[in-house]
Amino acid sequence: MRSIWNGAISFGLVSIPIKLVNATESHAISFRQIHTEDNGRIRYRKVCELEDREVSQAEIGKGYEDADGTIIPITDEDLSHLPIPTTRTIDIVAFVPADRIDPLQMSAAYYLAAGGAPAAKPYTLLREALKRSNRVAIAKYALRGRERLGMLRVVGDAIAMHGLLWPDEVRAPEGVAPDTDVTIRDKELDLADALMDTLGEVDLEDLHDEYREALEEVVAAKASGEVPPESPEPAAGGKVLDLMAALENSVRAARESRGTSGEEAEVTHLRQGRSAPKETGAKKSAKTAAKKTAPARKSTSKTAERPTAAGEKPPAKSTAKSTATKKTAAKKTASRKKSA
């Protein structure tokens, strides 16, 4: 990889020669501006407004325009002698926990390559010190005509540097959040959690630029004289009126897309009033089975008589039976007397 800046890391009294290399690259498809009538390229020529002629790149320098319009020329030599220590040095000023850095501050990413064999030992020392401390280094450096802020961290066996915006360059999120009072119910949060769990994690290596791929298909079709592929119909949008239903449908769709359509979302709907909960089919079946297997209650009124406590009158049926027996015995005695 080609270096874009050569210098050194200043780590206390330790100096580590390094080369700055871009850590990222763009794969975006770029377009040229053309004349729509004949497809001719539209080009911009650099013209000196005083001489009214086009100038070459070798004749172009830098200049600062003063408030009154005066141009003050600034040369590369002027910039190389700026009275700051970071012109050719990445000056580490502090070590802090990584979570102290707001991701909003991060910008371009670079790799810091060791500048030759003498840099191997101090480079490895800094890398291992960052690993063991679980911290990142905050540094200042100068690049492309301005002093910048950076964060050094370990990536594999290399040290990477993220350019950081200065704190005063990050705007506060004023007027961004909704200014309407909104109440979020626990059930809505539960469904949002279920949706996040269903979507789960993703291997970032599996993600790719589908827009660029589709654009390449369009370019290839146009180049071969074919009709470019049509885009699919956009999904129906609109205002979400029922947030709960939208969350439930999202969980269901996410599970189906991952081949787990049989697992329904565990959703408990809020009941109106105090009506008793309806029995599910499983509960009804259990109760029916219990009724079939439970022993039938037998009446003991005809098979056994309850013993009578002292002074307690016997049951009505027992008294009637005793009276009828006495009457029959009396009739038999009277019949015997007449016979005699």
Side-chain angles (χ1 to χ4, degrees):
M1 291 184 284
R2 186 175 62 87
S3 64
I4 61 172
W5 184 90
N6 294 336
I9 299 174
S10 176
F11 177 31
L13 297 178
V14 178
S15 181
I16 310 171
I18 56 96
K19 297 179 179 180
L20 196 67
V21 178
N22 280 320
T24 62
E25 59 185 2
S26 175
H27 294 157
I29 296 177
S30 59
F31 296 100
R32 302 290 189 184
Q33 290 185 324
I34 61 170
H35 186 202
T36 55
E37 292 186 1
D38 55 16
N39 293 343
R41 284 278 306 277
I42 301 298
R43 298 180 181 274
Y44 294 92
R45 292 182 169 84
K46 298 179 180 181
V47 176
C48 174
E49 63 180 14
L50 297 180
E51 299 182 11
D52 194 21
R53 70 175 182 88
E54 186 176 353
V55 296
S56 63
Q57 185 62 38
E59 300 177 84
I60 298 175
K62 300 182 183 69
Y64 175 81
E65 185 174 4
D66 206 352
D68 60 359
T70 303
I71 299 297
I72 303 172
I74 302 293
T75 66
D76 291 339
E77 185 179 359
D78 295 331
L79 296 177
S80 65
H81 291 87
L82 288 175
I84 56 175
T86 56
T87 51
R88 283 292 170 186
T89 305
I90 297 175
D91 187 20
I92 295 177
V93 297
F95 293 88
V96 300
D99 58 8
R100 285 273 303 276
I101 306 301
D102 189 339
L104 286 174
Q105 287 184 255
M106 294 187 183
S107 58
Y110 308 95
Y111 287 131
L112 303 181
K121 182 66 178 285
Y123 184 98
T124 304
L125 171 65
L126 176 59
R127 183 191 67 199
E128 296 304 313
L130 289 173
K131 276 185 182 180
R132 192 168 71 172
S133 67
N134 290 320
R135 288 183 290 180
V136 298
I138 303 301
K140 296 169 70 176
Y141 65 102
L143 181 66
R144 299 189 180 101
R146 53 171 295 196
E147 188 174 55
R148 302 168 188 266
L149 195 62
M151 177 190 76
L152 278 64
R153 68 184 184 95
V154 178
V155 177
D157 291 331
I159 298 175
M161 181 173 71
H162 295 269
L164 299 179
L165 299 175
W166 296 99
D168 59 358
E169 292 180 314
V170 179
R171 300 170 62 185
E174 297 177 357
V176 177
D179 57 359
T180 305
D181 291 335
V182 177
T183 300
I184 301 297
R185 295 180 294 170
D186 288 340
K187 190 57 195 175
E188 293 168 335
L189 283 174
D190 291 342
L191 279 171
D193 288 341
L195 178 57
M196 290 190 290
D197 291 340
T198 303
L199 292 176
E201 298 183 357
V202 65
D203 186 353
L204 295 181
E205 297 293 332
D206 295 336
L207 301 180
H208 57 280
D209 188 351
E210 296 182 11
Y211 181 86
R212 177 173 59 87
E213 293 176 354
L215 190 56
E216 289 174 347
E217 292 181 6
V218 171
V219 172
K222 295 276 286 186
S224 60
E226 300 177 358
V227 178
E230 295 183 1
S231 60
E233 291 293 330
K239 190 175 182 180
V240 177
L241 299 178
D242 190 342
L243 180 58
M244 290 290 288
L247 286 170
E248 291 173 7
N249 293 335
S250 298
V251 172
R252 190 174 298 108
R255 284 180 172 166
E256 289 176 353
S257 68
R258 281 159 173 73
T260 57
S261 57
E263 301 177 7
E264 296 295 333
E266 297 178 1
V267 179
T268 304
H269 296 282
L270 299 177
R271 299 185 180 91
Q272 300 296 330
R274 296 184 178 179
S275 59
K278 295 182 179 180
E279 296 177 349
T280 62
K283 289 185 178 179
K284 287 182 178 179
S285 300
K287 285 192 173 182
T288 302
K291 287 181 179 179
K292 290 181 179 180
T293 57
R297 295 183 179 178
K298 296 182 180 180
S299 176
T300 59
S301 59
K302 294 182 180 180
T303 59
E305 292 184 2
R306 180 173 59 87
T308 304
E312 181 180 354
K313 292 183 179 181
K317 289 183 180 180
S318 301
T319 304
K321 186 176 181 180
S322 177
T323 303
T325 303
K326 288 179 180 181
K327 286 183 178 181
T328 302
K331 286 182 179 180
K332 290 182 179 180
T333 302
S335 176
R336 288 173 184 174
K337 286 182 179 181
K338 286 181 180 181
S339 300

